[in-house]
Amino acid sequence: MKTIVLLWLALLFLRNTLFAQITISGTITAPDGSTPTLAHVSITPMSAFSMGKPSVETTNGKFRLTVEKAGYYKIWISAPNAKSISIPTILTEKKKSITLDVALTSIRLISPLTAAIIGVKGSNLQPMTPEPDGTFSFVATASADTLAYRLYEVDMDAHSHNGTQSDYFVYDGGGDYYSVLRTKSGEQVKIIFDPKKMFQSPEQAMPKVKWDKAYAYLSKLFELEERFDRELANARLAYQKAKAANPADLANFTYDNSAFTKELETIQNNPSERLEVRQFAALMRFSALPYEKQTKAEAQSLLSFIPVSSPMWGWNSSVIGTIGDRFSENQPDTAIQLLTEFKEKNPDRSVQCEALFGLGRLARGNKEKLRSIYNEFKTNYADLPMAKLALMEFNPDKAIQVGNPVPDFEIKLLTGETVSRTSMLGKYYLIDFWAVWCGPCVGEMPKLHEAYEKYKGKKGFEILSLSFDSSPDDIAKFRAAKFNMPWLHAFIENGFNNDLSKRFEVAGIPKPILVDDKGTIIATDMDLRGKNLDKTLAKHLDMSRN
């Protein structure tokens, strides 16, 4: 019996040694240097887009996280009156107990702040009233003994935030907070937002993270992540300023982030940096490049630096689709092989999902293959955000696919005339769902213009652009500035939520659909984008080939 007990204890010790959790513990400091009264911490796979649940509520600014195994993660930290952050984290089995101390910075209020939007929980968003003293006010009717609200469009990072009038705060489960006021049901409550009461860190201040010595290099990854987020915020603010100053010239808007991408390239090519830092910089650089500069050559360079099996791709798995697009233009077989490798060799499910989505796009026209991909999404990836789009896009029984009749439609053009499925019979035409704010849509404009110039009138060829913009004025200003788009135009009110959009199964834009003279769909999506557009149109419209 003694021998059995000793053996059992030895096995238990071995199990605990081999399968012990990795623990991360540390402290959080508020933007003003104090200990936050409330903060939340969460750890997710690196590919996650938000904190998720459950999150750990801190005690006196101290936290403790555990994970079951080594891997690539993100640690998310939030607190009222602070900018929420995500910390790229690579954990190994070498050390089971790790320390991490974090100093947060404040919400970066827009300056000067001329408007504020309030969202009272359970109600629609409403503008607040600017007051002469620089505050903003709003009167709400309480429906219970508390009233919860938060603010929108007040900070440079485009987050929602708590206000400056609160009895306490409630975490929303995704990284932001509601301000909560104690009220009486039916009471008229005047809510005041006073920007001067919100502590502001110095303009260029960045949050700080301090890992213990074994993981000190991860501080560099976090610094790059914060720089990347700030570049995105600055680009968005620059666009908003350009729109306010000269909305007619938005087609010419550019944001120069070349200094940042050059810095990332330098880090990527620096042999003295750790490989993980160099790979992170390389992936971030590709992500930061303008869409038209994410070329096949750039994709090949990135693939030579980061193996398809690396969990690092999870930081921005969306680039997998871009890489697939670049190869599919001239080397579809290579694109299929590459996407298959990502799906089969990468351990991150979001990366697998992106690769499978790319394979679905390349399988259009092959109903048997599409059904297989559709079923795989339904069986293995239904819990991921992209699955909803994929199940719509690759449904083998969906309406918008080659060989099906185009759905009935009747649309009023911006010029006042009406076009319909019936009126377009006898013509070949390209339906193009798009918007001024859609970067890839604008990126297709040169090829669309070339195609229209080359094929206009052949077999009655016409283009029908259907805009998802905020108003018809956006279309007019865009056309006046750079791309005149000399074809048919209509404004689709409510965009994706319009009944027409639902009948045409529009889940993302651009969405091009080529229809023949009998009203039958003959090409869709990637066959009508980039260099493929001319090839597809030539196949159907070039008289000399028919």
Side-chain angles (χ1 to χ4, degrees), residues 41 82-83 89 91 102 106 161 179 198 211 243 253 273 301 373 383 436 444 462 536:
V41 184
K83 178 185 179 293
T89 303
L91 301 178
V102 178
S106 67
H161 292 290
S179 285
M198 191 166 281
W211 292 90
K243 185 175 182 180
F253 172 79
E273 291 279 9
S301 174
I373 289 172
D383 58 314
V436 167
E444 296 292 329
E462 186 58 88
T536 301

Side-chain angles (χ1 to χ4, degrees), residues 115-175:
I117 304 295
I118 189 169
V120 175
K121 195 171 184 179
S123 302
N124 294 329
L125 301 183
Q126 299 286 341
M128 300 188 79
T129 301
E131 302 292 352
D133 62 356
T135 63
F136 298 84
S137 67
F138 182 79
V139 177
T141 302
S143 59
D145 58 0
T146 59
L147 183 149
Y149 75 93
R150 53 186 172 184
L151 304 176
Y152 298 80
E153 298 185 19
V154 299
D155 84 316
M156 299 182 187
D157 299 295
H159 281 269
S160 60
H161 292 290
N162 59 274
T164 53
Q165 183 180 343
S166 311
D167 289 318
Y168 60 95
F169 303 106
V170 170
Y171 181 59
D172 73 349

Side-chain angles (χ1 to χ4, degrees), residues 194-493:
D194 187 353
K196 296 188 293 296
K197 289 184 178 180
M198 191 166 281
F199 177 85
Q200 287 290 279
S201 302
E203 184 177 352
Q204 300 303 319
M206 294 276 196
K208 300 294 184 183
V209 300
K210 184 179 180 181
W211 292 90
D212 60 23
K213 188 175 180 180
Y215 288 92
Y217 76 94
L218 292 178
S219 297
K220 183 70 173 182
L221 268 60
F222 174 69
E223 178 189 335
L224 293 177
E225 170 112 335
E226 283 295 304
R227 292 277 306 283
F228 183 83
D229 287 349
R230 188 158 290 196
E231 286 289 331
L232 289 178
N234 290 342
R236 183 175 56 254
L237 289 171
Y239 179 84
Q240 291 171 350
K241 288 180 180 178
K243 185 175 182 180
N246 188 6
D249 196 34
L250 286 180
N252 295 317
F253 172 79
T254 58
Y255 177 76
D256 184 9
N257 68 349
S258 58
F260 181 54
T261 56
K262 184 65 177 176
E263 181 181 342
L264 291 171
E265 186 176 17
T266 300
I267 295 170
Q268 174 186 341
N269 295 328
N270 184 355
S272 65
E273 291 279 9
R274 281 185 65 116
L275 178 61
E276 296 94 333
V277 175
R278 297 174 64 194
Q279 290 178 332
F280 190 74
L283 180 56
M284 183 173 284
R285 177 181 172 275
F286 186 87
S287 304
L289 289 173
Y291 180 76
E292 66 274 8
K293 291 187 178 181
Q294 292 174 327
T295 62
K296 180 180 172 183
E298 289 284 359
Q300 288 173 318
S301 174
L302 186 61
L303 288 165
S304 69
F305 201 66
I306 309 176
V308 294
S309 59
S310 172
M312 185 68 77
W313 292 99
W315 179 78
N316 183 10
S317 58
S318 66
V319 303
I320 307 301
T322 304
I323 290 172
D325 289 349
R326 294 301 178 255
F327 280 90
S328 68
E329 291 176 357
N330 296 307
Q331 297 175 283
D333 291 341
T334 301
I336 291 171
Q337 179 184 348
L338 185 59
L339 292 169
T340 302
E341 288 182 11
F342 269 114
K343 178 181 163 298
E344 294 179 351
K345 295 181 180 180
N346 198 285
D348 190 293
R349 292 179 69 242
S350 290
V351 173
Q352 297 168 17
C353 194
E354 287 281 354
L356 186 60
F357 194 92
L359 289 170
R361 293 168 71 179
L362 291 171
R364 285 194 171 96
N366 185 334
K367 282 196 173 185
E368 183 178 343
K369 183 65 176 176
L370 272 182
R371 189 174 295 278
S372 173
I373 289 172
Y374 174 83
N375 289 335
E376 188 167 357
F377 268 111
K378 198 170 184 179
T379 303
N380 299 330
Y381 301 100
D383 58 314
L384 296 182
M386 177 163 276
K388 183 178 180 181
L389 172 61
L391 292 174
M392 182 185 294
E393 283 288 307
F394 305 135
N395 184 345
D397 301 317
K398 70 177 187 174
I400 303 301
Q401 59 179 311
V402 172
N404 284 358
V406 68
D408 283 333
F409 65 90
E410 186 172 323
I411 302 169
K412 185 177 181 179
L413 301 177
L414 295 182
T415 52
E417 300 97 329
T418 297
V419 295
S420 65
R421 183 183 188 278
T422 301
S423 71
M424 296 297 281
L425 289 173
K427 298 180 180 181
Y428 280 67
Y429 57 100
L430 177 69
I431 299 174
D432 182 36
F433 290 91
W434 78 295
V436 167
W437 47 260
C438 166
C441 300
V442 176
E444 296 292 329
M445 286 299 155
K447 293 298 181 184
L448 278 172
H449 280 77
E450 289 175 14
Y452 191 71
E453 181 69 23
K454 183 175 180 179
Y455 297 104
K456 180 185 177 182
K458 291 185 177 181
K459 298 186 178 181
F461 179 68
E462 186 58 88
I463 297 177
L464 173 59
S465 284
L466 307 178
S467 166
F468 279 14
D469 285 295
S470 300
S471 76
D473 287 344
D474 293 337
I475 308 167
K477 292 169 183 175
F478 180 87
R479 294 177 64 194
K482 187 172 183 180
F483 296 108
N484 64 335
M485 304 172 69
W487 48 77
L488 306 179
H489 290 270
F491 169 66
I492 308 303
E493 191 170 6

